[in-house]
């Protein structure tokens, strides 16, 4: 049974992509699963900290693989500081000279993280299906370029519910919960449950497991 399980899991891994990433970061702590597209500029960086690891495009047991993308543009960096799993359907885009920094935790299926400047995600972070995290509006209104792109910081032990949208300039405090479908456009205090469009405080002093 153990041998069959190992073989089954190995059949899901894209060895060519995994070796490509490992050669780039000089490590064996990276796994790339099937149907993951890797677009790394020659002057981009993928950094895996000591004792950290990352999996790109993993599927849950008895489920299939959706197309996934991991793109790092010129001068961009993805830094992995803990053990993190990006499940299948993920779309990671780190643009020119931007930095995505990730601790430990996971994304569920079909999550988008679009980084134009800086996005930091802490440890023990659970990001549910269909969440979008984006640090830029991309477009300018009435010629006002100021504030179009602003960094996002997500603290430790944060749970982001299904279909939530995290917008530019937001800081989410440790231990907080973002309700399903919430649109977060302002800071969230630690240990706070927020929800709605736009997100408002629902409950304070929350604790989740």
């Amino acid at each position: 049974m153990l041998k069959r399980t190992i073989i089954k899991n190995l059949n899901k891994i894209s060895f060519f992509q995994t070796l490509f990433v490992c050669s780039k970061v000089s490590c064996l702590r990276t796994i790339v699963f099937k149907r993951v597209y890797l677009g790394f500029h020659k002057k981009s960086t993928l950094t895996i900290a000591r004792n950290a690891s990352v999996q790109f495009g993993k599927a849950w047991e008895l489920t299939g693989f959706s197309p996934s993308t991991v793109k790092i543009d010129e001068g961009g960096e993805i830094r992995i500081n803990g053990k993190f799993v990006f499940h299948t359907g993920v779309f990671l885009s780190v643009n020119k000279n931007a930095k995505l920094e990730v601790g430990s935790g996971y994304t569920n299926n079909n999550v988008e993280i679009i980084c134009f400047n800086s996005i930091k995600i802490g440890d023990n972070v659970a990001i549910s299906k269909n969440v979008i995290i984006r640090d830029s509006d991309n477009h300018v209104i009435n010629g006002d370029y100021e504030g179009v792109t602003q960094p996002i910081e997500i603290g430790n032990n944060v749970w982001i519910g299904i279909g939530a949208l995290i917008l530019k300039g937001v800081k989410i405090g440790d231990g907080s919960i973002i309700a399903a479908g919430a649109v977060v456009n302002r800071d969230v205090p630690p240990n706070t449950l927020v929800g709605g469009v736009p997100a408002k405080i629902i409950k304070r002093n929350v604790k989740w497991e």
Side-chain angles (χ1 to χ4, degrees):
M1 179 66 70
L2 178 60
K3 184 176 180 181
R4 289 180 62 185
T5 301
I6 292 173
I7 292 173
K8 182 178 179 181
N9 289 334
L10 288 177
N11 288 337
K12 297 178 180 178
I13 296 172
S14 173
F15 285 102
F16 177 78
Q17 299 278 56
T18 298
L19 289 173
F20 168 76
V21 174
C22 285
S23 67
K24 187 174 181 64
V25 297
S26 300
C27 78
L28 295 175
R29 301 188 301 277
T30 305
I31 297 176
V32 181
F33 288 85
K34 291 182 176 180
R35 303 194 71 186
V36 176
Y37 174 80
L38 300 175
F40 292 172
H41 190 278
K42 63 182 180 180
K43 293 185 179 180
S44 66
T45 305
L46 174 63
T47 304
I48 313 294
R50 186 175 182 181
N51 298 322
S53 64
V54 64
Q55 298 182 34
F56 293 116
K58 184 178 182 179
W60 298 99
E61 188 68 23
L62 302 179
T63 67
F65 292 87
S66 301
S68 300
T69 295
V70 181
K71 186 208 82 168
I72 314 176
D73 210 337
E74 181 181 1
E77 179 183 5
I78 294 178
R79 179 179 176 85
I80 309 296
N81 294 320
K83 295 181 179 179
F84 205 94
V85 178
F86 295 97
H87 280 90
T88 188
V90 69
F91 186 90
L92 299 181
S93 177
V94 178
N95 287 273
K96 188 174 182 179
N97 299 323
K99 183 175 183 179
L100 170 63
E101 190 168 355
V102 177
S104 62
Y106 68 92
T107 65
N108 208 316
N109 298 355
N110 304 320
V111 168
E112 293 187 16
I113 301 177
I114 316 296
C115 181
F116 283 82
N117 179 12
S118 173
I119 297 176
K120 295 181 180 180
I121 299 174
D123 291 320
N124 192 37
V125 174
I127 302 176
S128 303
K129 290 183 179 181
N130 302 317
V131 167
I132 298 176
I133 301 171
R134 169 182 282 268
D135 68 351
S136 180
D137 292 334
N138 293 101
H139 300 287
V140 178
I141 299 176
N142 295 333
D144 184 9
Y145 286 86
E146 185 176 355
V148 172
T149 300
Q150 298 178 31
I152 291 173
E153 185 174 342
I154 298 171
N156 301 321
N157 198 42
V158 171
W159 172 19
I160 302 177
I162 294 173
L165 175 59
I166 313 299
L167 296 176
K168 67 175 187 180
V170 164
K171 183 176 182 179
I172 300 176
D174 294 348
S176 290
I177 303 171
I178 310 302
V183 176
V184 183
N185 62 356
R186 63 188 69 183
D187 290 353
V188 178
N191 304 110
T192 302
L193 168 63
V194 301
V197 181
K200 297 180 180 179
I201 294 175
I202 298 173
K203 191 173 183 179
R204 298 182 186 271
N205 299 319
V206 297
K207 185 177 181 181
W208 69 276
E209 298 179 3

